[in-house]
Amino acid sequence: MAEIDMPGAEVERMGQLIGRVMELIDTRAAGFDAVAVGPPLAAAGRDFDEAWNDGRFQLKRECKGLKEGCEMIVKGFAEADREMVSSLKDDGAPATPKAAGA
């Protein structure tokens, strides 16, 4: 039988992965050193890193919006779950089974 994930588990994981992407986007913060790759590639690496600044900024901004959206969806699932549990309790259904003789 296939395992069933809780609603929103995939969205929560996606938000975590987007956060990781945001951490790794900034090559300077990740320890990139154009000179360390060697003289033939140093200038190309430096040029790429400078040209990537605009793209990096845009991608980080978009990722931030996606991550926040994922967090809102996960919170929405959790709130819907709480409301459903509350409505079941209010309808007289027991929240937990009672032990025999209790």
Side-chain angles (χ1 to χ4, degrees), residues 5-14 69-85:
D5 287 333
M6 295 298 293
E10 293 88 358
V11 177
E12 184 174 18
R13 180 70 178 137
M14 186 172 79
C70 289
E71 291 167 356
M72 290 172 47
I73 291 169
V74 170
K75 286 179 183 177
F77 275 125
E79 182 60 29
D81 285 347
R82 282 191 292 276
E83 289 176 7
M84 287 200 306
V85 167

Side-chain angles (χ1 to χ4, degrees), residues 16-66:
Q16 293 167 349
L17 292 172
I18 290 171
R20 183 68 177 137
V21 167
M22 291 171 65
E23 291 172 9
L24 296 174
I25 279 176
D26 193 354
T27 53
R28 288 187 184 127
F32 172 75
D33 180 9
V35 177
V37 298
L41 298 175
R46 191 172 35 257
D47 291 345
F48 173 82
D49 196 52
E50 289 174 12
W52 172 230
N53 279 333
D54 287 339
R56 181 183 300 128
F57 174 77
Q58 291 173 0
L59 190 56
K60 284 172 108 173
R61 185 182 62 217
E62 296 299 324
C63 283
K64 181 181 178 192
L66 287 170

